[in-house]
Amino acid sequence: QVQLVESGGGLVQAGGSLRLSCAASGSIFSIYAMGWYRQTPGKQRELVATVTSAGYTNIEDSVKGRFTISRDNANNTVYLQMNNLKPEDTAVYYCNAERVYTRSEYYRATWGQGTQVTVSS
């Protein structure tokens, strides 16, 4: 069974920074893409940033230039460095892993439990 464990959320003032981490565990052989999505009450979950195992990134326009996604393939960990945070970045941030192969199973997508990021004005 694959698990994604997130850390690094919290409360920060506008203009501040946070770094989110997400580690995947569970006899993993490979993960095609890892990334971050966010969700606020009453809205659909939206993509923030993803990175493939080859290092290709996809970053949502509103966070370009402020957020950086990186990945440690050897440790199945993905990071999201968030700088110059704005109140509109407030959301629950979810880690995502796509096309996960373990020794005996395949997961098209799996999610973490979410971590709250709150940016005060």
PDB file of all heavy atoms in Angstrom, residues 30-34 50-58 69-74 98:
ATOM      1  N   SER A  30       8.578   2.876  -8.857  1.00  0.00           N
ATOM      2  CA  SER A  30       8.703   4.127  -9.609  1.00  0.00           C
ATOM      3  C   SER A  30       7.419   4.948  -9.470  1.00  0.00           C
ATOM      4  O   SER A  30       6.333   4.406  -9.233  1.00  0.00           O
ATOM      5  CB  SER A  30       8.987   3.874 -11.089  1.00  0.00           C
ATOM      6  OG  SER A  30       7.869   3.285 -11.716  1.00  0.00           O
ATOM      7  N   ILE A  31       7.586   6.257  -9.636  1.00  0.00           N
ATOM      8  CA  ILE A  31       6.468   7.190  -9.660  1.00  0.00           C
ATOM      9  C   ILE A  31       6.665   8.112 -10.845  1.00  0.00           C
ATOM     10  O   ILE A  31       7.714   8.756 -10.960  1.00  0.00           O
ATOM     11  CB  ILE A  31       6.379   8.026  -8.369  1.00  0.00           C
ATOM     12  CG1 ILE A  31       6.288   7.125  -7.133  1.00  0.00           C
ATOM     13  CG2 ILE A  31       5.181   8.971  -8.429  1.00  0.00           C
ATOM     14  CD1 ILE A  31       6.334   7.892  -5.813  1.00  0.00           C
ATOM     15  N   TYR A  32       5.671   8.185 -11.727  1.00  0.00           N
ATOM     16  CA  TYR A  32       5.820   9.032 -12.904  1.00  0.00           C
ATOM     17  C   TYR A  32       5.826  10.511 -12.536  1.00  0.00           C
ATOM     18  O   TYR A  32       6.741  11.240 -12.883  1.00  0.00           O
ATOM     19  CB  TYR A  32       4.708   8.751 -13.911  1.00  0.00           C
ATOM     20  CG  TYR A  32       4.672   9.751 -15.038  1.00  0.00           C
ATOM     21  CD1 TYR A  32       5.706   9.788 -15.974  1.00  0.00           C
ATOM     22  CD2 TYR A  32       3.639  10.680 -15.161  1.00  0.00           C
ATOM     23  CE1 TYR A  32       5.705  10.720 -16.997  1.00  0.00           C
ATOM     24  CE2 TYR A  32       3.640  11.605 -16.192  1.00  0.00           C
ATOM     25  CZ  TYR A  32       4.669  11.615 -17.091  1.00  0.00           C
ATOM     26  OH  TYR A  32       4.673  12.543 -18.101  1.00  0.00           O
ATOM     27  N   ALA A  33       4.825  10.969 -11.836  1.00  0.00           N
ATOM     28  CA  ALA A  33       4.725  12.391 -11.491  1.00  0.00           C
ATOM     29  C   ALA A  33       4.296  12.546 -10.047  1.00  0.00           C
ATOM     30  O   ALA A  33       3.498  11.749  -9.527  1.00  0.00           O
ATOM     31  CB  ALA A  33       3.729  13.105 -12.396  1.00  0.00           C
ATOM     32  N   MET A  34       4.835  13.583  -9.416  1.00  0.00           N
ATOM     33  CA  MET A  34       4.404  13.971  -8.080  1.00  0.00           C
ATOM     34  C   MET A  34       4.091  15.456  -8.112  1.00  0.00           C
ATOM     35  O   MET A  34       4.685  16.207  -8.905  1.00  0.00           O
ATOM     36  CB  MET A  34       5.495  13.683  -7.048  1.00  0.00           C
ATOM     37  CG  MET A  34       5.841  12.217  -6.908  1.00  0.00           C
ATOM     38  SD  MET A  34       7.024  11.881  -5.574  1.00  0.00           S
ATOM     39  CE  MET A  34       5.955  12.045  -4.133  1.00  0.00           C
ATOM     40  N   THR A  50       3.320  20.327 -10.642  1.00  0.00           N
ATOM     41  CA  THR A  50       3.707  18.919 -10.705  1.00  0.00           C
ATOM     42  C   THR A  50       5.097  18.812 -11.322  1.00  0.00           C
ATOM     43  O   THR A  50       5.552  19.724 -12.031  1.00  0.00           O
ATOM     44  CB  THR A  50       2.726  18.086 -11.547  1.00  0.00           C
ATOM     45  OG1 THR A  50       2.703  18.600 -12.883  1.00  0.00           O
ATOM     46  CG2 THR A  50       1.321  18.118 -10.965  1.00  0.00           C
ATOM     47  N   VAL A  51       5.739  17.680 -11.052  1.00  0.00           N
ATOM     48  CA  VAL A  51       7.056  17.420 -11.623  1.00  0.00           C
ATOM     49  C   VAL A  51       7.146  15.934 -11.951  1.00  0.00           C
ATOM     50  O   VAL A  51       6.727  15.082 -11.151  1.00  0.00           O
ATOM     51  CB  VAL A  51       8.187  17.867 -10.669  1.00  0.00           C
ATOM     52  CG1 VAL A  51       8.084  17.194  -9.313  1.00  0.00           C
ATOM     53  CG2 VAL A  51       9.561  17.631 -11.293  1.00  0.00           C
ATOM     54  N   THR A  52       7.654  15.627 -13.137  1.00  0.00           N
ATOM     55  CA  THR A  52       7.796  14.229 -13.517  1.00  0.00           C
ATOM     56  C   THR A  52       9.137  13.687 -13.019  1.00  0.00           C
ATOM     57  O   THR A  52       9.999  14.434 -12.544  1.00  0.00           O
ATOM     58  CB  THR A  52       7.730  14.069 -15.035  1.00  0.00           C
ATOM     59  OG1 THR A  52       8.915  14.642 -15.615  1.00  0.00           O
ATOM     60  CG2 THR A  52       6.502  14.736 -15.621  1.00  0.00           C
ATOM     61  N   SER A  53       9.297  12.391 -13.161  1.00  0.00           N
ATOM     62  CA  SER A  53      10.556  11.772 -12.754  1.00  0.00           C
ATOM     63  C   SER A  53      11.727  12.277 -13.593  1.00  0.00           C
ATOM     64  O   SER A  53      12.875  12.237 -13.145  1.00  0.00           O
ATOM     65  CB  SER A  53      10.453  10.253 -12.848  1.00  0.00           C
ATOM     66  OG  SER A  53      10.067   9.854 -14.159  1.00  0.00           O
ATOM     67  N   ALA A  54      11.449  12.777 -14.789  1.00  0.00           N
ATOM     68  CA  ALA A  54      12.501  13.318 -15.647  1.00  0.00           C
ATOM     69  C   ALA A  54      12.778  14.785 -15.363  1.00  0.00           C
ATOM     70  O   ALA A  54      13.690  15.368 -15.964  1.00  0.00           O
ATOM     71  CB  ALA A  54      12.111  13.146 -17.110  1.00  0.00           C
ATOM     72  N   GLY A  55      11.982  15.383 -14.485  1.00  0.00           N
ATOM     73  CA  GLY A  55      12.210  16.765 -14.105  1.00  0.00           C
ATOM     74  C   GLY A  55      11.371  17.798 -14.831  1.00  0.00           C
ATOM     75  O   GLY A  55      11.569  19.000 -14.644  1.00  0.00           O
ATOM     76  N   TYR A  56      10.428  17.349 -15.650  1.00  0.00           N
ATOM     77  CA  TYR A  56       9.554  18.299 -16.329  1.00  0.00           C
ATOM     78  C   TYR A  56       8.514  18.818 -15.334  1.00  0.00           C
ATOM     79  O   TYR A  56       7.877  18.051 -14.636  1.00  0.00           O
ATOM     80  CB  TYR A  56       8.878  17.649 -17.522  1.00  0.00           C
ATOM     81  CG  TYR A  56       9.844  17.280 -18.618  1.00  0.00           C
ATOM     82  CD1 TYR A  56      10.223  15.959 -18.799  1.00  0.00           C
ATOM     83  CD2 TYR A  56      10.376  18.245 -19.452  1.00  0.00           C
ATOM     84  CE1 TYR A  56      11.127  15.606 -19.804  1.00  0.00           C
ATOM     85  CE2 TYR A  56      11.274  17.900 -20.454  1.00  0.00           C
ATOM     86  CZ  TYR A  56      11.646  16.586 -20.613  1.00  0.00           C
ATOM     87  OH  TYR A  56      12.535  16.244 -21.610  1.00  0.00           O
ATOM     88  N   THR A  57       8.324  20.129 -15.324  1.00  0.00           N
ATOM     89  CA  THR A  57       7.409  20.746 -14.374  1.00  0.00           C
ATOM     90  C   THR A  57       6.225  21.392 -15.078  1.00  0.00           C
ATOM     91  O   THR A  57       6.309  21.814 -16.230  1.00  0.00           O
ATOM     92  CB  THR A  57       8.117  21.799 -13.528  1.00  0.00           C
ATOM     93  OG1 THR A  57       8.633  22.821 -14.381  1.00  0.00           O
ATOM     94  CG2 THR A  57       9.250  21.190 -12.716  1.00  0.00           C
ATOM     95  N   ASN A  58       5.120  21.452 -14.344  1.00  0.00           N
ATOM     96  CA  ASN A  58       3.926  22.151 -14.788  1.00  0.00           C
ATOM     97  C   ASN A  58       3.474  22.992 -13.613  1.00  0.00           C
ATOM     98  O   ASN A  58       3.150  22.445 -12.552  1.00  0.00           O
ATOM     99  CB  ASN A  58       2.841  21.153 -15.199  1.00  0.00           C
ATOM    100  CG  ASN A  58       1.586  21.844 -15.700  1.00  0.00           C
ATOM    101  OD1 ASN A  58       1.627  22.997 -16.122  1.00  0.00           O
ATOM    102  ND2 ASN A  58       0.472  21.144 -15.655  1.00  0.00           N
ATOM    103  N   ILE A  69       8.786  23.882  -7.431  1.00  0.00           N
ATOM    104  CA  ILE A  69       8.604  22.471  -7.100  1.00  0.00           C
ATOM    105  C   ILE A  69       9.895  21.728  -7.422  1.00  0.00           C
ATOM    106  O   ILE A  69      10.572  22.014  -8.417  1.00  0.00           O
ATOM    107  CB  ILE A  69       7.404  21.863  -7.859  1.00  0.00           C
ATOM    108  CG1 ILE A  69       7.100  20.458  -7.333  1.00  0.00           C
ATOM    109  CG2 ILE A  69       7.634  21.852  -9.366  1.00  0.00           C
ATOM    110  CD1 ILE A  69       5.763  19.908  -7.795  1.00  0.00           C
ATOM    111  N   SER A  70      10.242  20.802  -6.550  1.00  0.00           N
ATOM    112  CA  SER A  70      11.423  19.978  -6.764  1.00  0.00           C
ATOM    113  C   SER A  70      11.146  18.565  -6.253  1.00  0.00           C
ATOM    114  O   SER A  70      10.186  18.350  -5.503  1.00  0.00           O
ATOM    115  CB  SER A  70      12.650  20.574  -6.075  1.00  0.00           C
ATOM    116  OG  SER A  70      12.453  20.667  -4.679  1.00  0.00           O
ATOM    117  N   ARG A  71      12.019  17.663  -6.652  1.00  0.00           N
ATOM    118  CA  ARG A  71      11.741  16.263  -6.345  1.00  0.00           C
ATOM    119  C   ARG A  71      13.049  15.519  -6.097  1.00  0.00           C
ATOM    120  O   ARG A  71      14.051  15.754  -6.768  1.00  0.00           O
ATOM    121  CB  ARG A  71      10.985  15.639  -7.513  1.00  0.00           C
ATOM    122  CG  ARG A  71      10.661  14.178  -7.392  1.00  0.00           C
ATOM    123  CD  ARG A  71       9.739  13.777  -8.519  1.00  0.00           C
ATOM    124  NE  ARG A  71       9.621  12.339  -8.592  1.00  0.00           N
ATOM    125  CZ  ARG A  71       8.822  11.684  -9.415  1.00  0.00           C
ATOM    126  NH1 ARG A  71       8.044  12.357 -10.248  1.00  0.00           N
ATOM    127  NH2 ARG A  71       8.782  10.366  -9.424  1.00  0.00           N
ATOM    128  N   ASP A  72      13.013  14.638  -5.133  1.00  0.00           N
ATOM    129  CA  ASP A  72      14.116  13.735  -4.824  1.00  0.00           C
ATOM    130  C   ASP A  72      13.656  12.337  -5.224  1.00  0.00           C
ATOM    131  O   ASP A  72      12.945  11.673  -4.464  1.00  0.00           O
ATOM    132  CB  ASP A  72      14.449  13.814  -3.342  1.00  0.00           C
ATOM    133  CG  ASP A  72      15.567  12.883  -2.925  1.00  0.00           C
ATOM    134  OD1 ASP A  72      15.996  12.040  -3.733  1.00  0.00           O
ATOM    135  OD2 ASP A  72      16.006  12.975  -1.773  1.00  0.00           O
ATOM    136  N   ASN A  73      14.047  11.898  -6.409  1.00  0.00           N
ATOM    137  CA  ASN A  73      13.562  10.609  -6.906  1.00  0.00           C
ATOM    138  C   ASN A  73      14.035   9.439  -6.049  1.00  0.00           C
ATOM    139  O   ASN A  73      13.302   8.467  -5.852  1.00  0.00           O
ATOM    140  CB  ASN A  73      14.006  10.395  -8.350  1.00  0.00           C
ATOM    141  CG  ASN A  73      13.274  11.290  -9.324  1.00  0.00           C
ATOM    142  OD1 ASN A  73      12.112  11.630  -9.112  1.00  0.00           O
ATOM    143  ND2 ASN A  73      13.949  11.689 -10.386  1.00  0.00           N
ATOM    144  N   ALA A  74      15.241   9.542  -5.561  1.00  0.00           N
ATOM    145  CA  ALA A  74      15.797   8.430  -4.781  1.00  0.00           C
ATOM    146  C   ALA A  74      14.997   8.180  -3.512  1.00  0.00           C
ATOM    147  O   ALA A  74      14.905   7.038  -3.039  1.00  0.00           O
ATOM    148  CB  ALA A  74      17.254   8.720  -4.441  1.00  0.00           C
ATOM    149  N   GLU A  98       1.235  10.166  -9.295  1.00  0.00           N
ATOM    150  CA  GLU A  98       0.565   9.530 -10.418  1.00  0.00           C
ATOM    151  C   GLU A  98       1.413   8.399 -10.987  1.00  0.00           C
ATOM    152  O   GLU A  98       2.629   8.501 -11.046  1.00  0.00           O
ATOM    153  CB  GLU A  98       0.281  10.559 -11.515  1.00  0.00           C
ATOM    154  CG  GLU A  98      -0.711  11.631 -11.115  1.00  0.00           C
ATOM    155  CD  GLU A  98      -1.010  12.587 -12.261  1.00  0.00           C
ATOM    156  OE1 GLU A  98      -0.512  12.368 -13.381  1.00  0.00           O
ATOM    157  OE2 GLU A  98      -1.749  13.563 -12.033  1.00  0.00           O
TER     158      GLU A  98
END
